[in-house]
Structure formats: structure tokens, C-alpha cells
Amino acid sequence: MSRAVMRTAAAALAGLSTLILVPPRTAEAASARVIRVNAAWGWQNTGVYIRKGQTYRVTYLSGSWTVDRARYGRVGPTGYPNRVDAAIVHGCKIVTTAPYGTLIAHRGGTPFAVDTSARYAASYSGWLSLRINDGDFCLSDNAGRISVSIDILNVKQGGNGGNMGG
């Protein structure tokens, strides 16, 4: 590879502040992206377009966040335990069936809690967006961020072996 091509590639990569391309971790992964999700921001488009019929997963990599930096400790993408969740002021959850602090997603439809150990089969096409389970009017006291990997998996014949969601 010529030096000019390498400099151009390096300059292009330097401009990517929140989206980093990484090689697939398994033979079944068709593509993977590492995304940082900020707790103080609303819906964050991941830049990943998922087509109907594709299977994908969102894997937690690192980081922590909180829905109230003055009152509650930081948690990962599964959110707060039930006893803490029950103590948090109600009225700000987007996905009411999931704890505050949970990583949630949508592709233009109904938001859902992300299970970072599950595979999802897309029932329709759309851009994947992520955020913390805390409403827009409640973000000002949030802090932290998490990093996740989004993997688009090869569609297997005879079923997907995972959750139907998102």
C-alpha cells in the first residue's frame, strides 16, 4: 500500500470520533461496529442499517452510566437492580418494563430493552438507535457512557436461534 493511500486512510479514521469499525470477532459475523452510547444524550443513531431478515446482536464491551450522578451509582447496560429502580423518581422511563439505566434500542418502531446476550431477527428494515432508559426531560443529571459492539450476523437457513425483536 502506498504512503499516500495510508495517509488518506489514517486521515479518514481520525475523523471518526464515535464510530469505529472493527473486524468481525467470529466466523459468523458479517460486520461489526463499536459504538459509544452517552447517558446524557437522547436517541443516538448508530449508523447501522439493519435489513429485514438479518440477524444481529448488541454486545456490551465496557463503561458505565447513571441516571442521577448525585444520588445513584453507575451501572452497566442491564440498569439498576429492582430495589434501586423502585426508589428512583418515576415518570422518566421510556421502556416501562425495564429498569432505569437499561440500554434500549429502536429501529423506528417501539423501543425495547436490549439483552446483550441475545440475537435479534429483524422483522423490518431500519436504522438502529440506542440510548439509556431515561426520558429526554430527565437527561440533565445523567453521566457516563458505555461501549457496545453491533454485529450483523449471517442469516442462517432454518431459523435464527435467537429472539425475535427490534
Side-chain angles (χ1 to χ4, degrees), residues 9-84:
L13 287 174
L16 296 174
S17 61
T18 59
L19 178 64
I20 303 166
L21 299 177
V22 295
R25 290 190 309 274
T26 66
E28 100 178 315
S31 65
R33 293 185 186 209
V34 173
I35 307 294
R36 283 193 224 162
V37 186
N38 192 311
W41 300 348
W43 287 109
Q44 298 158 62
N45 188 326
T46 63
V48 176
Y49 189 83
I50 299 173
R51 289 177 172 63
K52 180 179 179 177
Q54 284 184 317
T55 302
Y56 66 99
R57 74 175 160 229
V58 179
T59 305
Y60 170 70
L61 299 175
S62 65
S64 62
W65 53 18
T66 177
V67 297
D68 186 335
R69 64 183 168 269
R71 293 188 182 116
Y72 302 105
R74 291 179 179 231
V75 294
T78 57
Y80 290 94
N82 289 337
R83 63 180 169 66
V84 176

Side-chain angles (χ1 to χ4, degrees), residues 4-164:
V5 171
M6 289 176 67
R7 279 193 300 269
T8 302
L13 287 174
L16 296 174
S17 61
T18 59
L19 178 64
I20 303 166
L21 299 177
V22 295
R25 290 190 309 274
T26 66
E28 100 178 315
S31 65
R33 293 185 186 209
V34 173
I35 307 294
R36 283 193 224 162
V37 186
N38 192 311
W41 300 348
W43 287 109
Q44 298 158 62
N45 188 326
T46 63
V48 176
Y49 189 83
I50 299 173
R51 289 177 172 63
K52 180 179 179 177
Q54 284 184 317
T55 302
Y56 66 99
R57 74 175 160 229
V58 179
T59 305
Y60 170 70
L61 299 175
S62 65
S64 62
W65 53 18
T66 177
V67 297
D68 186 335
R69 64 183 168 269
R71 293 188 182 116
Y72 302 105
R74 291 179 179 231
V75 294
T78 57
Y80 290 94
N82 289 337
R83 63 180 169 66
V84 176
D85 182 61
I88 297 173
V89 174
H90 297 289
C92 285
K93 284 185 185 179
I94 294 171
V95 177
T96 59
T97 57
Y100 279 105
T102 300
L103 175 65
I104 61 174
H106 82 80
R107 285 191 343 277
T110 303
F112 60 96
V114 174
D115 177 345
T116 59
S117 65
R119 295 179 184 187
Y120 296 94
S123 54
Y124 59 91
S125 299
W127 293 99
L128 182 66
S129 293
L130 301 172
R131 71 177 293 159
I132 192 169
N133 193 17
D134 199 21
D136 288 341
F137 295 106
C138 302
L139 296 175
S140 64
D141 58 354
N142 292 7
R145 66 178 168 229
I146 63 169
S147 293
V148 297
S149 171
I150 301 170
D151 300 295
I152 305 296
L153 308 172
N154 294 334
V155 178
K156 305 280 186 195
Q157 294 295 330
N160 63 26
N163 290 340
M164 298 296 289

